[in-house]
Amino acid sequence: MKIEWEVLSAPATNGVKARYFIQSAAQLEAELAPLLAACVNKAVDELHSNILDNSLYLLFEFDKNLVLNIVVTDESKQQESPYRVVCDMASLRSYLLESTHWKFKGEEFADVVKHELRDYLSTCSGFMRYSLVAVFSEGDRAKTELL
């Protein structure tokens, strides 16, 4: 699976460094794990530029619009690093409602994403080189779960 990232300049885009839009759900079952791994890898590639003296969390924020934002934050989860990685999965909404695949049926898509991220991070050597805590949020940064 080859992912084409849209790399953006930070000043014009609220810190978004790389953005990926899913165009089709045709191969979602087979491509979700590699897609999320690519998102993590892209974020890890930027950690050298993103870690500040007060950085603590690598925050994976999944919102109700099916957009995954990955950003480094401080202890309060309010001060963000200069760059973020965004994966827009909004085009999957209708597919997920109709899917009969075991992974998506009867489970919230946010939970599927969270579990895939947790599985990948446990073996991501690039992430292990940094002293950051990986957390997952569904839009409310005050309520995060450890990955």
Side-chain angles (χ1 to χ4, degrees):
M1 174 178 173
K2 184 173 182 340
I3 295 179
E4 298 290 333
W5 292 96
E6 177 184 4
V7 179
L8 308 164
S9 62
T13 60
N14 287 335
V16 175
K17 176 77 172 197
R19 182 182 297 266
Y20 178 73
F21 295 94
I22 291 181
Q23 303 299 323
S24 167
Q27 300 296 317
L28 181 62
E29 291 91 354
E31 294 181 357
L32 181 63
L35 170 65
L36 293 175
C39 291
V40 171
N41 290 337
K42 190 69 162 170
V44 166
D45 288 347
E46 294 298 328
L47 286 179
H48 67 280
S49 300
N50 273 337
I51 293 187
L52 307 171
D53 288 339
N54 60 350
S55 296
L56 178 61
Y57 296 109
L58 180 59
L59 176 66
F60 295 85
E61 195 167 32
F62 194 71
D63 67 22
K64 64 182 184 246
N65 296 319
L66 305 183
V67 176
L68 176 67
N69 286 285
I70 307 172
V71 65
V72 176
T73 70
D74 67 342
E75 181 179 325
S76 70
K77 299 178 191 131
Q78 299 307 310
Q79 184 180 358
E80 297 184 0
S81 58
Y83 303 111
R84 67 175 50 223
V85 172
V86 176
C87 183
D88 188 339
M89 297 182 257
S91 64
L92 301 179
R93 188 173 307 283
S94 61
Y95 171 79
L96 293 170
L97 293 173
E98 299 170 4
S99 178
T100 58
H101 188 269
W102 66 269
K103 188 179 274 189
F104 308 118
K105 190 157 180 82
E107 189 168 2
E108 294 293 322
F109 190 53
D111 290 333
V112 174
V113 169
K114 177 176 52 180
H115 295 301
E116 292 289 345
L117 289 170
R118 180 180 295 135
D119 286 349
Y120 184 71
L121 281 171
S122 68
T123 60
C124 180
S125 61
F127 172 69
M128 300 292 184
R129 286 185 251 158
Y130 295 91
S131 297
L132 294 172
V133 178
V135 293
F136 184 84
S137 167
E138 289 186 52
D140 181 0
R141 290 185 177 187
K143 298 177 185 176
T144 58
E145 295 179 54
L146 286 175
L147 290 174

PDB file of all heavy atoms in Angstrom, residues 11 22 31 144:
ATOM      1  N   PRO A  11       2.914  27.518   8.399  1.00  0.00           N
ATOM      2  CA  PRO A  11       2.242  28.779   8.718  1.00  0.00           C
ATOM      3  C   PRO A  11       0.842  28.921   8.125  1.00  0.00           C
ATOM      4  O   PRO A  11      -0.024  29.528   8.724  1.00  0.00           O
ATOM      5  CB  PRO A  11       3.174  29.834   8.122  1.00  0.00           C
ATOM      6  CG  PRO A  11       4.503  29.180   8.057  1.00  0.00           C
ATOM      7  CD  PRO A  11       4.220  27.727   7.795  1.00  0.00           C
ATOM      8  N   ILE A  22      -8.459   9.657   2.678  1.00  0.00           N
ATOM      9  CA  ILE A  22      -8.813   8.352   2.127  1.00  0.00           C
ATOM     10  C   ILE A  22      -9.830   8.581   1.019  1.00  0.00           C
ATOM     11  O   ILE A  22     -10.853   9.228   1.230  1.00  0.00           O
ATOM     12  CB  ILE A  22      -9.388   7.430   3.206  1.00  0.00           C
ATOM     13  CG1 ILE A  22      -8.284   7.062   4.179  1.00  0.00           C
ATOM     14  CG2 ILE A  22     -10.009   6.195   2.588  1.00  0.00           C
ATOM     15  CD1 ILE A  22      -8.731   6.138   5.270  1.00  0.00           C
ATOM     16  N   GLU A  31      -6.357  -2.693   4.460  1.00  0.00           N
ATOM     17  CA  GLU A  31      -5.470  -1.541   4.456  1.00  0.00           C
ATOM     18  C   GLU A  31      -5.541  -0.654   5.693  1.00  0.00           C
ATOM     19  O   GLU A  31      -4.746   0.264   5.829  1.00  0.00           O
ATOM     20  CB  GLU A  31      -5.735  -0.703   3.207  1.00  0.00           C
ATOM     21  CG  GLU A  31      -5.350  -1.432   1.942  1.00  0.00           C
ATOM     22  CD  GLU A  31      -5.574  -0.615   0.682  1.00  0.00           C
ATOM     23  OE1 GLU A  31      -6.091   0.518   0.777  1.00  0.00           O
ATOM     24  OE2 GLU A  31      -5.237  -1.123  -0.384  1.00  0.00           O
ATOM     25  N   THR A 144      -8.431  11.062  28.099  1.00  0.00           N
ATOM     26  CA  THR A 144      -7.566  10.287  27.207  1.00  0.00           C
ATOM     27  C   THR A 144      -7.317   8.918  27.805  1.00  0.00           C
ATOM     28  O   THR A 144      -7.451   8.713  29.008  1.00  0.00           O
ATOM     29  CB  THR A 144      -6.205  10.988  26.986  1.00  0.00           C
ATOM     30  OG1 THR A 144      -5.565  11.183  28.243  1.00  0.00           O
ATOM     31  CG2 THR A 144      -6.376  12.314  26.269  1.00  0.00           C
TER      32      THR A 144
END
